[in-house]
Amino acid sequence: MPRPSILALAVVALTVAGCGSSSNSTSSPATTSTAAPTANSAFLAPLKTVSTVASTVPANGDVNPYGIVTVPTSVGKLQAGQMLISNFNAKESAKENGQGTGTTIVQISTAGKVSSFATIDAKTLPGPCPGGVGLTAALNILPGGYVVVGSLPTTNGKSATAKYGCLIVLDSEGKAVETIAGKNIQGPWGSTAKSEGSKTTLFVSNALNGGAAKGIHKIDNSTVLRIELESGEHQTPKVLSETVIANGIPWVDSAEALVLGPTGLALASDGTLYVASTEDSKILAISEAMTRTTPAAKGGTVLTEGGHLKEPLGMVLAPSGNIITSNGGDGNMVETTPAGQQVAVQSADKKTGAGSLFGLVIAPEGHGIYFVDDGENTLNLLHEGQPVTQTTSSTAASSTAPSESSTKPAASATTGGGEALSLEANPEGQLKYNKTALSAKAGKVAIDFTDMASLAHNMTVALASGAVVGATPTFQGGSKTLTLTLQPGTYKFYCSVPGHRMAGMEGTLTVK
Ligand SMILES: [Cu+2]
């Protein structure tokens, strides 16, 4: 769901307004007017700050991060406590026609360290997957470290070419080992899983049932599927049974999001499965989801609809059991009680044309929510307190004695008669500079770095050995000048914000 024109800073400012006390904020029949909960009872209420953790863009340039899941146990390439993130679109240049063509899963630590987990080649899939590979928000990890990711592929980013896809099973090294496809898998879009011992119950929302090329007409035939699986160390997941537990959920073609249908799922402790129904802004509840043998009509009962819900996509349960959903429609997160009362709303994406939230998970410490922003292509943390700047920028001592100043370029350009260079971060938010090569004469060099993008960046200069010679602070909005005294040689410049260099923010500085 890429939205263009990113004009404002990605950060913060929020409301909590007592939407819990508003009796018309939900039309759920389950809602009764008991005492309105205080704002403090809402998990979202104190989470007023957004910090960007890392870019989610891997080396091949895939964008539109959709799925996110926390790694429970270290095995193979999987690192416990880190997060896996699946990308739905191929690279930035294909933004208009890349939906349903993303092939990568990245792994990111809470400190913002990014690594590649998997790049899936449709040509070498180990089983059927009608249409190929376009990774969705359906992303879970099974016992034994097997990763299950949904594929809803297209050939050109348009829903008319969308095919049913499959679930792709990867081992803990990120290698595809099997696919799960067939009549019950029709555009797997979201999922949630519960594992006990070697057994997993996996719930999957299908977004495309009954055909992919139906124009703009709303189609009320999406399903939720329950799949029982067995897996373990060196035991590839085996499907034991598949049961459709809900049907009649609406879906519709969307130029922006490819499809609006049932998306995020979450399983309550009482066995109720909640479904984020994006097309009609509802949260549905399927009772006895672990055991039922017949499908709930119309996706079950309506827990809540409308109000603060605007195209809910991702879903996760707060520690209290309240349901947190991320709105594709306006960039807000909404908290709903199991009784159907919307008790809190927080803005997590305030940009112009906001509305690019997708997957979300509760932070390991339980004090925040990690979420992907598929407009910015970043992993973010919604949390309490002050913004956290994830930066490893260093002013390591060096014989070249770098110094830095924050003066205006005009003031520094001629300082000491040295050479003045300039560099800019891409103002549209792409992770690149406006130049990949700079050259200067040996001696005093002043480099003016401008960042008018919506993300904070820096410019770091390092020797070929990797030793950092100097760096600007990480900042957003304006310019800063880095003044260095440089010997002849070849240096690298890059942005040290985690993930940015890997995504392309780097170049070469030649000093003669
Ligand atoms: Cu950067």
Side-chain angles (χ1 to χ4, degrees), residues 423-424 431-439 447 458-464 489-496 500-511:
L423 184 72
E424 255 178 67
L431 293 174
K432 62 185 189 186
Y433 295 114
N434 66 331
K435 295 171 188 166
T436 56
L438 292 170
S439 61
I447 309 168
N458 65 54
M459 181 202 185
T460 301
V461 177
L463 300 170
T490 302
Y491 300 76
K492 295 302 281 187
F493 63 87
Y494 58 92
C495 175
S496 70
H500 291 198
R501 183 181 189 177
M502 185 177 165
M505 290 194 83
E506 66 170 348
T508 303
L509 168 62
T510 307
V511 179

Side-chain angles (χ1 to χ4, degrees), residues 135-482:
L135 302 184
T136 69
L139 181 64
N140 289 98
I141 303 176
L142 310 184
Y146 290 94
V147 175
V148 181
V149 62
S151 174
L152 191 169
T154 74
T155 55
N156 63 2
K158 303 292 187 286
S159 55
T161 69
K163 293 289 192 300
Y164 286 158
C166 68
L167 295 170
I168 299 168
V169 181
L170 309 165
D171 66 15
S172 58
E173 297 294 338
K175 178 175 181 288
V177 293
E178 65 182 28
T179 63
I180 301 170
K183 66 177 170 50
N184 291 326
I185 306 284
Q186 303 193 350
W189 198 227
S191 67
T192 192
K194 180 184 178 168
S195 297
E196 271 184 37
S198 61
K199 297 280 177 59
T200 298
T201 303
L202 177 68
F203 296 96
V204 179
S205 56
N206 281 305
L208 281 185
N209 301 65
K214 293 291 205 290
I216 58 168
H217 305 295
K218 183 172 145 178
I219 304 161
D220 292 344
N221 63 3
S222 278
T223 60
V224 175
L225 180 67
R226 181 180 71 220
I227 306 176
E228 304 290 341
L229 294 140
E230 186 162 28
S231 67
E233 202 179 343
H234 308 303
Q235 185 193 349
T236 308
K238 181 180 166 197
V239 175
L240 305 176
S241 69
E242 294 182 1
T243 309
V244 175
I245 62 163
N247 58 22
I249 305 168
W251 72 270
V252 66
D253 286 0
S254 162
E256 223 165 30
L258 192 72
V259 61
L260 303 178
T263 308
L265 304 175
L267 184 68
S269 55
D270 71 355
T272 301
L273 185 76
Y274 300 117
V275 182
S277 183
T278 310
E279 195 278 333
D280 53 5
S281 294
K282 290 176 181 171
I283 295 177
L284 304 171
I286 304 168
S287 62
E288 298 170 341
M290 295 288 286
T291 52
R292 68 181 306 136
T293 55
T294 56
K298 294 183 175 176
T301 58
V302 178
L303 187 70
T304 180
E305 67 181 301
H308 294 296
L309 295 176
K310 298 204 167 53
E311 298 181 0
L313 290 165
M315 176 183 281
V316 71
L317 295 185
S320 66
N322 283 356
I323 305 145
I324 313 270
T325 47
S326 55
N327 278 339
D330 64 5
N332 289 347
M333 292 190 196
V334 178
E335 180 166 352
T336 304
T337 67
Q341 195 166 22
Q342 297 177 13
V343 293
V345 58
Q346 284 284 27
S347 170
D349 185 356
K350 291 276 286 186
K351 289 179 300 296
T352 301
S356 47
L357 303 186
F358 231 103
L360 62 174
V361 295
I362 300 296
E365 335 77 59
H367 294 303
I369 297 175
Y370 285 97
F371 65 95
V372 289
D373 181 327
D374 71 293
E376 293 268 303
N377 303 305
T378 52
L379 170 66
N380 301 277
L381 176 63
L382 180 67
H383 62 102
E384 294 185 55
Q386 297 300 308
V388 178
T389 302
Q390 299 282 357
T391 174
T392 56
S393 82
S394 153
T395 49
S398 152
S399 60
T400 51
S403 63
E404 122 208 338
S405 69
S406 306
T407 51
K408 297 269 191 314
S412 62
T414 57
T415 302
E419 183 152 3
L421 302 177
S422 68
L423 184 72
E424 255 178 67
N426 179 283
E428 261 79 53
Q430 293 180 30
L431 293 174
K432 62 185 189 186
Y433 295 114
N434 66 331
K435 295 171 188 166
T436 56
L438 292 170
S439 61
K441 288 191 190 114
K444 199 165 189 177
V445 178
I447 309 168
D448 179 50
F449 173 53
T450 301
D451 178 17
M452 298 309 290
S454 56
L455 272 182
H457 296 293
N458 65 54
M459 181 202 185
T460 301
V461 177
L463 300 170
S465 68
V468 172
V469 172
T472 68
T474 299
F475 70 101
Q476 189 275 329
S479 300
K480 289 186 190 301
T481 301
L482 177 67

